[in-house]
Amino acid sequence: MTAKETSGAVVDSRPGNLDEVDTENTDDTLDNNPSRNLRVVPKSPSYFSPTPAFTDYYIHALGVFRRYQTLPRGDPSKRTKLIWKNHPQFRRMIGENVPPLKYRKIKSLIQRLDQVDRSVLPEEGKDLIRSFLREASPIQPLRRPECVDEYGRSVGVGRRKTASAQVWLVLGDGQVLVNDKPLHIAFPRVHDRESALWALKSTSRLDKYNVWALVTGGGPTGQAEAITLGLAKALLVQEPNLKPVLRKAGTVSRNPKRVERKKPGHLKARKKPAWVAR
């Protein structure tokens, strides 16, 4: 009889049919062959879980974080901004269908570990952070540098719902043209006019720049909010130091909300016909 060790357990590898056991000498057989009472123990304690690879990765990351979370933190202004793996890339790395909630959980844990000063963080922690970094693409898209042209103009593009706006900004006295029309004619509603110029109003720059915008698609509200985003981008080219103020005002990020589509059999997106008993 030969025996081998598998995952910390001894497994009987003798060929033969286990059903063909001498019932008269059962006790002697069990005493002489202790390996017949052993079972194979999986190497991973999470072998029988739905996502064993992710569970092992999370347990390892949690252990590393608990060991080094008390180390001093680095200066946030000197910390290099890292690009993490997105959800599909993390699923390909693990090889399992990891839910978004579990992905956000492990990402939050590694981001907290990244706050530790790299000069005192051991290699174990650095290796964990490197394993979650996004791989560099061999083909990087060429992005046109944003700068002020020879006429002192800066341009920004903003979108909202189905509206798209291209906004030019130049030093001036506060004149605004939207599709070659004054602002009060392009947007009769006061709310839309305030929304379009909110980036300038929140930074007290209404009388410092002239605005020229070309807008297509959408309705008045979508066009006004598209101008808001485009104007904020153009203003950041002129004055990059205004980014914290504009972010606090909510003009830097695009609003992704859209009208929900109508479904077959429904009166609208969610409304259904009244149910009649007869």
Side-chain angles (χ1 to χ4, degrees):
M1 181 179 69
T2 59
K4 61 181 179 179
E5 183 179 349
T6 303
S7 303
V10 179
V11 180
D12 186 8
S13 60
R14 181 183 60 182
N17 189 358
L18 296 180
D19 295 335
E20 299 176 359
V21 179
D22 188 1
T23 56
E24 296 179 357
N25 300 322
T26 302
D27 297 337
D28 296 339
T29 304
L30 293 177
D31 294 337
N32 296 331
N33 303 316
S35 62
R36 298 175 67 86
N37 296 330
L38 299 180
R39 64 182 179 87
V40 178
V41 179
K43 184 177 180 180
S44 170
S46 59
Y47 178 78
F48 297 102
S49 65
T51 54
F54 169 79
T55 306
D56 291 340
Y57 188 87
Y58 180 75
I59 291 174
H60 171 66
L62 187 61
V64 172
F65 173 74
R66 287 177 175 174
R67 283 194 292 273
Y68 307 128
Q69 63 178 339
T70 57
L71 294 177
R73 298 189 176 186
D75 187 3
S77 61
K78 298 180 181 179
R79 188 182 307 140
T80 304
K81 186 177 180 180
L82 303 177
I83 302 178
W84 308 109
K85 283 184 171 67
N86 55 26
H87 186 209
Q89 292 173 342
F90 180 71
R91 286 195 301 182
R92 286 194 295 269
M93 182 188 74
I94 295 295
E96 295 174 349
N97 188 16
V98 181
L101 182 62
K102 291 185 177 181
Y103 164 75
R104 290 194 295 267
K105 193 175 182 180
I106 189 69
K107 181 180 178 181
S108 174
L109 193 67
I110 295 180
Q111 284 177 336
R112 291 168 63 186
L113 181 65
D114 182 50
Q115 296 176 1
V116 178
D117 191 358
R118 292 299 181 87
S119 61
V120 297
L121 185 64
E123 274 306 312
E124 185 181 19
K126 295 179 181 178
D127 291 341
L128 178 62
I129 293 175
R130 282 194 290 264
S131 68
F132 204 76
L133 291 178
R134 182 182 301 184
E135 297 89 354
S137 175
I139 303 176
Q140 294 291 344
L142 297 178
R143 188 175 181 181
R144 186 175 60 182
E146 298 176 349
C147 58
V148 180
D149 62 9
E150 64 273 15
Y151 301 106
R153 300 175 302 183
S154 61
V155 63
V157 178
R159 294 181 178 87
R160 175 74 170 97
K161 298 181 182 179
T162 58
S164 177
Q166 197 169 10
V167 184
W168 285 267
L169 196 66
V170 66
L171 290 174
D173 53 0
Q175 299 182 30
V176 180
L177 288 178
V178 178
N179 292 342
D180 293 330
K181 300 177 184 178
L183 184 65
H184 67 278
I185 297 178
F187 299 112
R189 294 178 60 216
V190 177
H191 176 75
D192 292 338
R193 294 199 293 266
E194 292 181 350
S195 177
L197 300 180
W198 179 244
L200 294 177
K201 187 175 182 180
S202 60
T203 55
S204 302
R205 300 291 194 278
L206 282 174
D207 299 331
K208 185 177 179 181
Y209 293 99
N210 289 344
V211 180
W212 181 44
L214 294 178
V215 196
T216 57
T221 302
Q223 291 185 354
E225 296 185 8
I227 293 176
T228 305
L229 181 59
L231 184 57
K233 291 180 179 180
L235 184 59
L236 284 176
V237 177
Q238 298 276 356
E239 302 182 48
N241 296 330
L242 293 177
K243 188 169 184 178
V245 181
L246 292 173
R247 184 172 295 280
K248 188 175 181 180
T251 60
V252 176
S253 301
R254 179 185 176 183
N255 189 346
K257 293 187 291 185
R258 285 172 167 266
V259 177
E260 188 175 348
R261 66 174 291 270
K262 181 187 179 298
K263 280 79 174 181
H266 291 201
L267 298 179
K268 295 194 294 183
R270 307 259 178 117
K271 185 179 180 181
K272 297 180 180 180
W275 182 79
V276 182
R278 295 172 184 85

